[in-house]
Amino acid sequence: MQMEDRITAAEKEFEIAGKQLAREREILAEMEAVMEKLPTGSAQRETLGQQYQNRLTYYQEIQKEMKGKQAAFERQKEIFKTEKTGYESRQALAGVSRNFEITLKTGEILHAWLVRAAMVHDLALLKVDGCTTPYIPAAVRDSAARQQTVFAIGSPLNFADTVQNGIVTGFSGGFIQTNAPIYPGNSGGPLVNDQGHVIGINTFKELTRNFEGMGFAIPIHTALEEFAGELK
């Protein structure tokens, strides 16, 4: 199921759950109205009061669970929208540009061509002919863990070969979350663990007004699987 379909299905589920909660509120209001008409201290009022409390507790638990799920869903939806926007921008660029220039650390400029842009992730595979360079090995699959030290490598704001450290703070929507600073120019660069292995590809940063923001990286094995056919 595509992400758009999942979002639509989840929104329908929340709509149904919202209607069920609204009906529960109506039932609670009806029970309150009935209790007010019963004599204080009567057995019937005591029994109905206990039923009301049980139903109210159930309603509050379901409401709390729904709010938590909805908040998590909204966060993942925003992550998806951000990734989709970046992907569409790069697809538009890829539609115009098929040839690129790669600048090495030595200053040498090489020519590269687009092999394929990913249909789902914000990724593209480029090929440089006639050049063999060292590479950073990929980490073992699923080896990334919370609190793990990581380094984001890239050229943020045109400052070449910048390394910024942080930790893995979590996993969300298929992404690795990190507090390592990620700025324009880091996108596409590696997220490396303290053993010198690539665990992800930096892709975007979720900005907020209240704090620095959270960086996100696509797991390296997601990228390798995406281009498995071309990398054989």
Side-chain angles (χ1 to χ4, degrees):
M1 182 183 292
Q2 295 295 324
M3 183 59 74
E4 290 93 340
D5 296 332
R6 292 180 182 177
I7 289 174
T8 300
E11 287 175 338
K12 288 182 179 179
E13 289 180 6
F14 285 125
E15 182 181 355
I16 293 171
K19 290 179 179 179
Q20 292 174 340
L21 284 174
R23 178 53 186 157
E24 284 294 324
R25 286 195 297 270
E26 292 176 357
I27 293 173
L28 288 169
E30 292 170 0
M31 294 177 73
E32 288 177 354
V34 172
M35 282 192 296
E36 289 178 359
K37 297 178 181 179
L38 296 174
T40 302
S42 66
Q44 190 176 6
R45 180 163 181 162
E46 291 293 330
T47 300
L48 185 59
Q50 185 59 52
Q51 293 174 351
Y52 173 84
Q53 286 299 324
N54 292 340
R55 191 146 202 158
L56 178 62
T57 299
Y58 168 76
Y59 167 80
Q60 291 172 337
E61 290 175 352
I62 296 300
Q63 184 184 46
K64 182 179 179 180
E65 181 181 357
M66 179 181 170
K67 285 183 177 179
K69 288 182 177 179
Q70 194 162 19
F73 165 74
E74 291 297 334
R75 287 194 298 271
Q76 291 199 5
K77 186 167 72 170
E78 287 304 312
I79 290 172
F80 168 72
K81 286 181 178 178
T82 303
E83 186 192 27
K84 183 179 179 182
T85 299
Y87 164 73
E88 289 174 345
S89 298
R90 284 166 174 76
Q91 281 290 82
L93 175 63
V96 175
S97 302
R98 293 285 171 176
N99 297 297
F100 301 85
E101 290 185 345
I102 306 295
T103 303
L104 301 183
K105 185 177 178 64
T106 60
E108 181 183 1
I109 297 177
L110 302 175
H111 294 283
W113 54 277
L114 177 68
V115 177
R116 182 168 65 85
M119 293 301 294
V120 177
H121 304 288
D122 182 17
L123 295 168
L125 180 65
L126 303 181
K127 180 175 177 59
V128 181
D129 288 324
C131 178
T132 302
T133 62
Y135 64 91
I136 306 174
V140 175
R141 179 185 294 275
D142 299 327
S143 61
R146 285 182 174 84
Q147 299 298 315
Q148 182 180 30
T149 299
V150 291
F151 303 89
I153 302 175
S155 301
L157 307 176
N158 293 321
F159 290 100
D161 301 326
T162 298
V163 179
Q164 295 161 300
N165 70 303
I167 62 171
V168 173
T169 57
F171 305 89
S172 179
F175 294 93
I176 299 171
Q177 294 175 203
T178 178
N179 63 0
I182 292 179
Y183 302 107
N186 279 117
S187 180
L191 186 67
V192 182
N193 63 20
D194 55 5
Q195 296 178 330
H197 297 161
V198 180
I199 65 170
I201 299 174
N202 304 319
T203 182
F204 70 92
K205 180 177 184 178
E206 185 176 3
L207 300 175
T208 72
R209 294 182 179 179
N210 299 322
F211 60 92
E212 171 66 17
M214 191 66 64
F216 293 86
I218 299 171
I220 185 60
H221 286 280
T222 298
L224 293 176
E225 289 171 1
E226 175 67 39
F227 299 114
E230 291 82 3
L231 294 174
K232 289 181 179 178

